[in-house]
Amino acid sequence: MEILQGTGRLFFLPFLYIALIMSVMVSANRIKKERRMFGTRVFDRFSEWKGTWSVSLLTGLVISIIGVGAGLTVSYPFLFLSAAILMLVSLTGRLSWYSPAYTLGVTGLVLLLLPFLPESWKSHPWMETLFDTSLPMVALLLSLLLVREGLLLLKTSPSHTYPERTKGRRGLWIGQHRGKRMTVVPFFSLIPGGVIEPFASWWPVIPVGGDTYGVILIPFVLGAEWLVRGQSPEMASKAIGRHTFLLAFFLTMLAVGSFFLEILSIAVFALALIGREWIYLRHRSRENKTPFFTSTPKGVRILGVIPESPADQMGLFPGELIERVNSIPVRTENQFYEALQNTGAFTKIEVRDEWGENRYVQRAMYEGEHYELGLVFVEPATHESSVGFF
C-alpha cells in the first residue's frame, strides 16, 4: 500500500507536468521549422522521447535500489525547489538546460547559500527542512542521473538528430543537425512520514526528525541538446556521450566519498557545472571546420531521411553521398529525381559513406513512390517534385 501511495504521489509533483508541456512545445517548434525548411514534416511528434524509456526505467530501478536500500531521504521542500529550478530553465526552451549538472547542480549551490538568507526567512518550516537536506544525497543523485544523460547521448542514432538548412559564411546553403533528446527517469525515494519503520540503526542514513518513512515516485526530467555542423551527427553525439559518461563516473566516486567527507559534495556541484560546460566547449571547438553537409560536384549529399520512408527502408543515412541512380550519374537534386523517373521495377542507388566507401542499395518501387523516397537535401527544393516525401 505504501508503494501504491508513493506512486500516486508523483501527480502532486510538478516534474511530470513540466515534462509534458516542454515536450509539446519542443516538438511543435521542430515540426514548424521542418515544414518551413523542407515543405514537409520530417519526424513525428514527440520523437525526442523515442527509444528512451527502457534505459530510463532501468536507471530508475538502479537509483531506487541504491536510494531506498541505503536509506537516502528527500523532502517535499527539496523536490519543489528542484522543480522550481527546472521550471526556470524551461523558459529558455532548450533541452540542454535539463542536464542534472544544471538542475541539481544549481539546486545544490542554492542549498549552500541558504545560511546567508535573512534571519526572518530561516524560521519558515520549509526553510528549516531545506537546511537539513543532505548535500551528499544531492551529489549522489546528480552523479547517477548524469550517468543516464551520458547513456542517452551514447545511444543516439541518425534517427535522433534533426536536419536543418542554414546559410554559410559565403551565402551558400549548408546543412546541420540539431540533436534533441528528452526522457523521464522515474525512481522511488524515501520521504518523512508513512508506515515504514527503520529496521537498522543506520537506516535511514539521513536524519529527518521522524521515526517513520514513506516512499515517493519521482519522475525526474532529463534532456540534452546539441548542434552539429562540421562532423557526422552520430559520431559527434557519441563523443559528447563518452565525455559525459566519464565525468559522471568521476563525480559518482566523489559523491560516495562525500558521505564520509561532506565537503566533497561541494566539489561535485562545481565540477558538474564546469565539466558540462567544458564538454560542450570542446564540442564547439571541433565544429570550427568545413561544414559536413554541403553541396558537392561529386554527387547529392543526403541531409536527412524521413523515418519509415522508402529511403529509410533502403538503409540510406544522413551524410552519405548519392553518386548514381540506376547507373545514371547524378550531381544535383533535379538529376536525382529525373533518374528516379527512368526506373523500372527496382531502383538501384550507389552511395558513398562518410569514410569514402561506396555501396549499393536497392528496392522495389511501386506506383506513386517515385517522388516519395523520403530524402531531404542541402539545397532547397527547386520544383514541386523535388520535395522528398509527403
Side-chain angles (χ1 to χ4, degrees):
M1 288 301 299
E2 185 62 40
I3 292 175
L4 290 176
Q5 291 179 9
T7 303
R9 292 184 183 113
L10 73 89
F11 295 104
F12 294 98
L13 298 175
F15 295 103
L16 191 60
Y17 307 109
I18 294 173
L20 292 175
I21 294 172
M22 188 66 170
S23 64
V24 170
M25 292 176 56
V26 169
S27 179
N29 290 335
R30 172 181 52 77
I31 292 175
K32 183 179 179 180
K33 183 183 294 185
E34 289 172 350
R35 293 189 185 279
R36 185 177 70 251
M37 290 182 177
F38 308 116
T40 183
R41 183 183 68 183
V42 180
F43 287 87
D44 293 334
R45 294 183 182 276
F46 310 119
S47 62
E48 291 81 2
W49 295 82
K50 188 176 181 180
T52 66
W53 289 102
S54 58
V55 180
S56 292
L57 291 173
L58 180 60
T59 304
L61 178 62
V62 172
I63 295 177
S64 300
I65 293 173
I66 294 175
V68 176
L72 304 181
T73 307
V74 299
S75 63
Y76 279 112
F78 167 75
L79 293 175
F80 279 98
L81 173 62
S82 302
I85 293 174
L86 184 69
M87 189 177 301
L88 286 176
V89 299
S90 298
L91 298 177
T92 65
R94 296 182 61 85
L95 295 180
S96 56
W97 290 101
Y98 275 16
S99 169
Y102 296 130
T103 54
L104 287 178
V106 173
T107 301
L109 294 178
V110 169
L111 293 174
L112 289 172
L113 295 175
L114 290 181
F116 301 98
L117 292 176
E119 292 296 331
S120 57
W121 293 15
K122 298 179 182 179
S123 59
H124 193 278
W126 274 40
M127 294 299 297
E128 294 177 356
T129 303
L130 285 175
F131 274 113
D132 294 332
T133 301
S134 169
L135 294 180
M137 180 273 296
V138 181
L140 181 61
L141 184 60
L142 184 158
S143 62
L144 293 176
L145 289 171
L146 197 62
V147 171
R148 175 64 186 104
E149 182 185 344
L151 295 175
L152 188 71
L153 290 160
L154 284 171
K155 289 179 66 64
T156 299
S157 69
S159 62
H160 294 150
T161 59
Y162 309 109
E164 297 177 355
R165 284 196 189 109
T166 186
K167 287 290 187 70
R169 295 178 180 178
R170 299 181 180 180
L172 300 177
W173 287 104
I174 62 173
Q176 62 186 22
H177 272 240
R178 190 177 300 275
K180 290 185 178 183
R181 304 295 285 151
M182 187 177 181
T183 189
V184 170
V185 179
F187 61 92
F188 284 99
S189 181
L190 296 173
I191 57 171
V195 299
I196 303 176
E197 296 183 357
F199 58 84
S201 60
W202 52 267
W203 193 95
V205 297
I206 301 171
V208 291
D211 296 327
T212 59
Y213 304 91
V215 295
I216 185 170
L217 182 61
I218 305 172
F220 203 88
V221 187
L222 292 181
E225 183 174 339
W226 63 100
L227 185 65
V228 182
R229 181 179 296 178
Q231 52 189 318
S232 164
E234 186 176 8
M235 292 181 63
S237 304
K238 293 186 183 301
I240 299 173
R242 286 193 299 270
H243 294 148
T244 303
F245 189 82
L246 290 174
L247 174 64
F249 179 79
F250 176 69
L251 294 180
T252 301
M253 298 298 101
L254 286 180
V256 173
S258 67
F259 285 93
F260 305 96
L261 187 62
E262 189 173 12
I263 196 173
L264 291 178
S265 60
I266 302 176
V268 171
F269 304 142
L271 290 176
L273 293 169
I274 295 173
R276 187 62 160 66
E277 285 297 315
W278 178 83
I279 289 171
Y280 279 83
L281 283 173
R282 179 169 181 177
H283 164 68
R284 286 191 288 269
S285 69
R286 293 196 299 269
E287 289 291 297
N288 294 327
K289 58 178 70 173
T290 303
F292 184 77
F293 294 96
T294 57
S295 300
T296 171
K298 298 180 180 180
V300 185
R301 181 78 66 184
I302 300 174
L303 177 58
V305 179
I306 298 177
E308 300 181 4
S309 66
D312 188 25
Q313 296 169 11
M314 295 172 76
L316 295 172
F317 297 102
E320 291 187 317
L321 189 69
I322 298 177
E323 296 184 338
R324 290 180 177 82
V325 177
N326 299 317
S327 301
I328 302 174
V330 294
R331 299 294 180 265
T332 66
E333 184 178 350
N334 288 346
Q335 292 177 358
F336 171 78
Y337 283 102
E338 289 172 0
L340 284 179
Q341 296 181 53
N342 297 325
T343 185
F346 282 84
T347 290
K348 185 177 181 180
I349 300 178
E350 181 182 351
V351 298
R352 192 171 297 274
D353 62 24
E354 58 189 278
W355 294 280
E357 300 292 333
N358 68 319
R359 64 188 182 94
Y360 296 89
V361 297
Q362 62 182 13
R363 180 183 183 273
M365 302 301 296
Y366 304 97
E367 185 178 357
E369 286 189 339
H370 289 293
Y371 304 120
E372 299 180 356
L373 284 186
L375 293 172
V376 294
F377 302 102
V378 174
E379 293 288 342
T382 56
H383 54 77
E384 184 179 358
S385 63
S386 63
V387 177
F389 187 71
F390 292 97

